[in-house]
Amino acid sequence: MKKLLTVAIALATAGLLFAQESLSSPDPTVIGNDSARQALREVSVDKFELEGSWYASISPDNGVISSRLFDGSPAGKEPLAGEEEVPDSKVLGIKVEFFHRGLNSFYIRSARPIPIEGVTKTISLWVAGRNMDHELYVLVQDYYGHNFELYVGTLGFSGWKKMQVAVPPTPDGEHGIIQQSAYDGVRPGLRIVGFRVDCNPVLARGTYYLYMDDMRAVTDLYDLENRDEDDMHDDW
């Protein structure tokens, strides 16, 4: 009886660890279509190199916020193949000065939505969260311009960390995040709007600093790469 109980506990623990690993490191090869019909590529979405391309906001009742670029880069970051010479020396810094504790949120938005070609499987970026248990969300628009938010994770860690979130596939092509359609022409299926940080009400006081760099996506380019050169584009 003790042996059976020990085995059951071991299996339950292994399952829990696997589930936690899957949530923290989503595997793009098992999201959505059959892997035989996928052409997965990791692409750069934004390197946070251009001043004025991102802006931050918070309710004026809750605090004051500012954003700017700084020289620097996460030491663990590796450039994408073929982009070794592309400038990548800046990071985006956010500074929040809270007026009071409470259920505060602040936003970091792109000056314009950033399109990602293909069908996006995962979104990742490097973040320095200053070991505060605030929660980070990425804000996206789907093929039809509908807005969604995806939970990226808690910022309760020190130093730089690569954070990643899976983009859930639509179950039937009509609900959820729709990234492509055979009925409405051809255009990028997902657009990055920005980020929202929901603050831990106990920790939302004083001054808080947040840094971001190197946003990437793993996207399925199967339909684009297997399109005939002489085929017409349904975008007129």
Side-chain angles (χ1 to χ4, degrees), residues 29-48:
T29 64
V30 298
I31 300 173
N33 292 344
D34 189 312
S35 60
R37 297 188 64 254
Q38 292 190 119
L40 298 180
R41 302 287 185 274
E42 186 175 23
V43 299
S44 176
V45 178
D46 194 271
K47 296 180 181 296
F48 301 98

Side-chain angles (χ1 to χ4, degrees), residues 39-212:
L40 298 180
R41 302 287 185 274
E42 186 175 23
V43 299
S44 176
V45 178
D46 194 271
K47 296 180 181 296
F48 301 98
E49 294 291 301
L50 298 177
E51 197 74 56
S53 60
W54 293 84
Y55 65 95
S57 64
I58 191 174
S59 169
D61 295 330
N62 295 332
V64 176
I65 193 168
S66 58
S67 62
R68 53 164 292 196
L69 297 181
F70 291 87
D71 293 329
S73 181
K77 182 179 66 176
E78 296 183 359
L80 289 173
E83 293 192 352
E84 291 82 2
E85 304 302 323
V86 176
D88 188 12
S89 60
K90 304 287 186 181
V91 302
L92 177 67
I94 311 296
K95 177 182 178 181
V96 186
E97 298 172 86
F98 294 107
F99 291 157
H100 54 77
R101 291 176 175 171
L103 297 174
N104 302 325
S105 297
F106 61 88
Y107 295 83
I108 304 103
R109 292 187 174 94
S110 174
R112 62 181 62 185
I114 305 173
I116 306 174
E117 289 192 319
V119 177
T120 303
K121 302 295 185 175
T122 63
I123 300 168
S124 66
L125 75 159
W126 285 84
V127 182
R130 290 296 180 262
N131 202 23
M132 292 287 184
D133 286 327
H134 306 317
E135 296 184 326
L136 177 66
Y137 294 80
V138 58
L139 310 177
V140 302
Q141 288 180 348
D142 73 354
Y143 188 90
Y144 293 111
H146 299 148
N147 293 304
F148 294 88
E149 59 184 45
L150 301 173
Y151 176 67
V152 182
T154 176
L155 301 175
F157 54 86
S158 298
W160 285 101
K161 177 182 178 182
K162 184 178 181 180
M163 304 185 72
Q164 187 172 230
V165 61
V167 180
T170 171
D172 54 10
E174 296 183 1
H175 301 86
I177 301 177
I178 301 174
Q179 298 197 53
Q180 61 183 359
S181 172
Y183 302 101
D184 298 289
V186 179
R187 59 177 179 268
L190 195 73
R191 291 175 290 277
I192 304 295
V193 177
F195 302 91
R196 188 184 77 238
V197 176
D198 291 345
C199 301
N200 183 315
V202 176
L203 303 175
R205 62 185 181 88
T207 303
Y208 175 64
Y209 296 91
L210 173 69
Y211 300 90
M212 296 179 166

